[in-house]
């Protein structure tokens, strides 16, 4: 019994010694899975397997560190990230792509349409600048103006094409380059420099008691105003006071013109009314000398009816005398010296008949401000009442920037078709021309001065558009006591007078930013005269569809 106890105790000591001398295991790896708590002892074979596992894990980590960057680089260069992250369930993205695609298609179709327009315009320009035309020695300033206008139209069209192509792309201010700034400056509708300081003038120094009796019989009021302007030049050349015709044989000029304005501009008396002439002559009004400027179709271009009217107001005259052969249908260019030689006389009262068609020093007479030295912008201009009324209308309905359009239609079809080429345009063609100028000027408001029927103006209004919006055609409304812009006319008893209303239309048009005139109309020519004198003429001013011919012309009767 003692022996067994002694053996057990010895065995226990040996076991404790072995435990103390067994090496401690290394610290387990993070990736090592521990055994259960009751497995406290590992055999040497188990330790070798653990080391192999740790080496294998290390090798895998090393391999992963090498291959992962290579994989990322491969994906970067080969993968379509848009398709990678796009989801077929994203309806918003699909809709946005469809809208963008439609916008691009529309802009490209628009650009193709504009390119076709530009091609047509350039071909027309090429035809007008053929070698035959360029070699001609008679190239006029009008043809040069037409060429410049055509070039500007093509530059404008080219810019529209670029904008149409870029409209569906996010290019920011790509068009704001120096080149396009130059294009914008060319296309801008700036004012024309009339160079008034370089104007050629003549001093008007009338002799005392020497008069030129004005006679104007051709056409309407605008023709008579041009006739008066030419009479003023003749009076200045011949050193005579000009007598304005009586309202009993001509228009009542005092209702539309400021006669005193002319005298104030020259600082002396150079024009008088017929009533003032009658007062000075004590009702003994006789025209001492009748030297006719025109001989055909009749002397002085004065018919018997007009002579009877003059006699009815107490004016007698000597027999007419023609100084040369001159036809109103084929007037000859005349000089100042020729006028002095043929029409100088010592007689007190002289008349030379109607001179509306006279061509005397044409460029001199038609220059801005006129041919006579004076201290104003123009000599023949609307009365102060009409000018103020026009300004009040503009402030009420139009504002500073507007396009004025003289759209003559009544009686113009036959008149224009007698010309070659015709100047009467179908309304759809006219609307295209107006739209182009409105877009170029970037002024989407039009003042319409017209004698056209409502059926024509209504169609024109529906066709004139810019950037998808209708451009309003504004006319003077009927009198309304609630509106005060025309109160001055009412107080001065000038309302309802067709000549006053015509002059009011001219004045409003003359104050516009851009003017579109009716070719062949003296109404238009009088507006152009005022614009040049007042300094309101624009480089964009033009006749309706200038440089074009009507796309359809009716036959003769």
């Amino acid at each position: 019994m003692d022996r067994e106890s002694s053996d057990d105790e010895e065995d226990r000591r040996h076991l404790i010694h072995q435990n103390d001398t067994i090496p401690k295991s290394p610290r387990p790896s993070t990736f090592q899975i521990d055994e259960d708590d009751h497995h406290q002892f590992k055999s040497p074979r188990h330790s070798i397997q653990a080391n192999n596992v740790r080496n294998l894990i290390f090798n895998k980590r090393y391999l992963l560190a090498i291959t992962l960057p290579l994989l990322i680089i491969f994906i970067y260069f080969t993968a379509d990230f848009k398709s990678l992250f796009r989801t077929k369930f994203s309806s918003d993205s699909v809709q946005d792509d469809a809208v963008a695609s439609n916008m691009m298609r529309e802009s490209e179709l628009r650009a193709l349409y504009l390119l076709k327009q530009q091609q047509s315009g350039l071909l027309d320009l090429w035809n007008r600048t053929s070698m035959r035309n360029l070699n001609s020695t008679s190239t006029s300033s009008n043809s040069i103006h037409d060429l410049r206008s055509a070039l500007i139209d093509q530059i404008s069209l080219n810019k529209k094409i670029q904008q149409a192509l870029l409209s569906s792309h996010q290019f920011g201010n790509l068009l704001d380059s120096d080149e396009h700034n130059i294009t914008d400056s060319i296309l801008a509708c700036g004012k024309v420099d009339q160079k008034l300081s370089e104007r050629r003038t003549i001093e008007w120094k009338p002799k005392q008691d020497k008069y030129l009796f004005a006679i104007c019989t051709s056409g309407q009021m605008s023709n008579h105003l041009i006739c008066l302007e030419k009479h003023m030049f003749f009076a200045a050349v011949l050193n005579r006071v000009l007598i304005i015709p009586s309202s009993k044989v001509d228009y009542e000029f005092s209702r539309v013109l400021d006669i005193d304005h002319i005298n104030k501009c020259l600082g002396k008396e150079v024009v008088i009314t017929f009533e003032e002439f009658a007062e000075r002559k004590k009702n003994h009004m006789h025209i001492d000398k009748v030297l006719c400027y025109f001989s055909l179709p009749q002397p002085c271009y004065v018919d018997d009816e007009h002579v009877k009217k003059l006699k009815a107001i107490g004016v007698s005259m000597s027999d007419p005398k023609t100084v040369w052969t001159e036809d109103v249908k084929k007037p000859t260019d005349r000089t100042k010296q020729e006028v002095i030689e043929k029409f100088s006389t010592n007689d007190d009262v002289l008349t030379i008949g109607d001179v509306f068609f006279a061509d005397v020093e044409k460029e001199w007479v038609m220059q801005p401000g006129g041919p006579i030295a004076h201290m104003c912008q123009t000599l023949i201009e609307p009365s102060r009442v009409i000018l103020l009324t026009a300004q009040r209308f503009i402030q009420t309905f139009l504002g500073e920037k507007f396009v004025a359009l003289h759209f003559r239609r009544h009686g113009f079809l036959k008149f224009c078709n007698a010309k070659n080429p015709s100047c009467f345009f179908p309304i759809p063609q006219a609307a295209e021309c107006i739209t182009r100028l409105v877009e170029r000027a970037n002024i989407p408001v039009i003042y319409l001065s017209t004698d056209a029927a409502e059926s024509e103006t209504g169609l024109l209004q529906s066709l004139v558009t810019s950037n998808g919006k209708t451009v309003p055609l504004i006319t003077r409304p009927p009198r309304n006591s609630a509106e005060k812009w025309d109160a001055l006319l009412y107080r001065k008893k000038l309302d309802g007078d067709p000549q006053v209303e015509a002059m009011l239309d001219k004045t409003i048009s003359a104050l516009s930013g851009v003017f579109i005139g009716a070719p062949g109309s003296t109404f238009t020519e009088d507006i152009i005269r005022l614009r040049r004198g007042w300094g309101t003429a624009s480089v964009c001013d033009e006749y309706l569809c200038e440089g074009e011919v009507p796309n359809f012309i009716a036959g003769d009767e």
Side-chain angles (χ1 to χ4, degrees), residues 407-538:
F407 192 59
R408 181 176 174 183
R409 303 296 279 183
H410 180 69
F412 218 44
L413 175 58
K414 186 176 180 180
F415 169 81
C416 280
N417 282 359
K419 294 177 173 290
N420 187 21
S422 173
C423 54
F424 192 88
F425 293 90
I427 289 179
Q429 185 179 0
E432 289 181 4
C433 298
I434 295 166
T435 298
R436 283 200 302 268
L437 188 57
V438 166
E439 290 179 346
R440 177 185 167 193
N442 194 27
I443 306 176
V445 178
I446 297 177
Y447 175 70
L448 178 62
S449 173
T450 186
D451 56 4
E454 187 176 348
S455 57
E456 293 183 84
T457 58
L459 176 59
L460 183 67
Q461 174 64 90
S462 67
L463 295 175
V464 178
T465 61
S466 178
N467 296 323
K469 297 180 180 179
T470 300
V471 179
L473 303 180
I474 300 173
T475 58
R476 285 184 296 103
R479 170 157 178 76
N480 187 333
S481 59
E483 298 174 358
K484 300 303 179 184
W485 64 268
D486 59 349
L488 283 176
L489 297 183
Y490 180 76
R491 287 206 300 266
K492 299 289 183 179
K493 302 185 186 305
L494 295 174
D495 59 309
D497 186 327
Q499 300 309 321
V500 172
E501 291 180 350
M503 183 58 78
L504 180 58
D505 263 4
K506 287 182 182 180
T507 308
I508 295 171
S509 298
L511 294 172
S512 66
V514 175
F515 175 62
I516 306 173
S521 167
T522 54
F523 189 96
T524 281
E525 294 305 317
D526 204 34
I527 293 172
I528 293 174
R529 177 188 65 82
L530 285 172
R531 289 178 64 79
R532 295 169 73 190
W534 286 348
T536 57
S538 165

Side-chain angles (χ1 to χ4, degrees), residues 61 126 138 169-170 215 230-231 264 270 289 314 351 407 429-430 437 462 494 496 525:
R61 291 174 63 190
W126 171 262
S138 60
H169 300 279
Q170 302 297 324
I215 295 178
K230 292 183 177 181
H231 264 105
K264 290 176 181 178
V270 292
K289 184 72 73 172
T351 189
F407 192 59
Q429 185 179 0
L437 188 57
S462 67
L494 295 174
E525 294 305 317

Side-chain angles (χ1 to χ4, degrees), residues 163-419:
Q163 290 173 334
L165 286 171
L166 295 174
S167 62
S168 62
H169 300 279
Q170 302 297 324
F171 287 147
N173 295 326
L174 185 62
L175 292 180
D176 292 338
S177 61
D178 292 340
E179 182 176 295
H180 287 280
N181 289 337
I182 294 172
T183 300
D184 290 342
S185 67
I186 293 173
L187 299 178
C189 295
K191 301 302 180 185
V192 176
D193 182 5
Q194 302 293 352
K195 300 181 180 179
L196 296 178
S197 59
E198 302 175 10
R199 191 164 59 99
R200 180 188 176 192
T201 60
I202 181 176
E203 294 290 334
W204 191 352
K205 299 178 179 179
K207 297 177 183 178
Q208 190 175 9
D209 298 328
K210 299 297 180 182
Y211 302 98
L212 178 63
F213 194 98
I215 295 178
C216 298
T217 62
S218 304
Q220 303 299 317
M221 169 68 89
S222 296
N223 297 43
H224 287 230
L225 291 175
I226 294 172
C227 176
L228 274 183
E229 186 178 26
K230 292 183 177 181
H231 264 105
M232 290 168 59
F233 179 71
F234 280 97
V237 170
L238 299 173
N239 297 318
R240 290 176 174 271
V241 174
L242 182 65
I243 302 170
I244 303 296
S246 168
S247 59
K248 295 180 180 179
V249 298
D250 207 327
Y251 291 104
E252 194 169 354
F253 293 105
S254 61
R255 291 176 69 85
V256 296
L257 300 179
D258 189 348
I259 306 300
D260 289 337
H261 165 79
I262 301 174
N263 291 328
K264 290 176 181 178
C265 289
L266 277 91
K268 60 176 78 74
E269 184 182 75
V270 292
V271 296
I272 61 173
T273 63
F274 175 80
E275 290 72 24
E276 290 172 325
F277 172 68
E279 179 65 25
R280 294 180 186 185
K281 292 297 182 179
K282 303 299 182 184
N283 294 323
H284 180 65
M285 296 173 289
H286 179 70
I287 300 176
D288 303 307
K289 184 72 73 172
V290 181
L291 300 176
C292 297
Y293 186 93
F294 285 106
S295 58
L296 297 172
Q298 58 202 33
C300 289
Y301 201 48
V302 177
D303 58 14
D304 293 338
E305 185 66 27
H306 196 84
V307 173
K308 290 179 181 179
K309 289 181 180 180
L310 288 174
K311 289 181 178 180
I313 60 174
V315 177
S316 60
M317 64 176 65
S318 59
D319 294 334
K321 177 184 177 182
T322 56
V323 299
W324 49 36
T325 300
E326 191 75 21
D327 191 343
V328 296
K329 295 181 179 179
K330 297 179 181 179
T332 306
D333 291 337
R334 302 290 183 177
T335 65
K336 169 189 171 184
Q337 190 58 39
E338 287 179 296
V339 171
I340 293 174
E341 291 173 358
K342 296 295 184 178
F343 296 97
S344 292
T345 177
N346 288 324
D347 293 286
D348 290 344
V349 183
L350 167 71
T351 189
I352 59 177
D354 192 326
V355 292
F356 170 74
F357 295 101
D359 276 346
V360 178
E361 304 284 5
K362 188 173 182 179
E363 291 187 2
W364 189 4
V365 171
M366 300 303 293
Q367 67 183 331
I372 299 169
H374 57 82
M375 299 176 289
C376 302
Q377 292 178 311
T378 57
L379 290 179
I380 296 180
E381 66 179 31
S383 67
R384 181 67 177 167
V385 171
I386 292 177
L387 179 59
L388 286 174
T389 302
Q391 292 173 344
R392 291 179 177 183
F393 177 85
I394 293 171
Q395 183 177 358
T396 302
F397 294 99
L398 300 170
E400 180 184 10
K401 296 182 179 180
F402 67 96
V403 174
L405 168 64
H406 177 216
F407 192 59
R408 181 176 174 183
R409 303 296 279 183
H410 180 69
F412 218 44
L413 175 58
K414 186 176 180 180
F415 169 81
C416 280
N417 282 359
K419 294 177 173 290

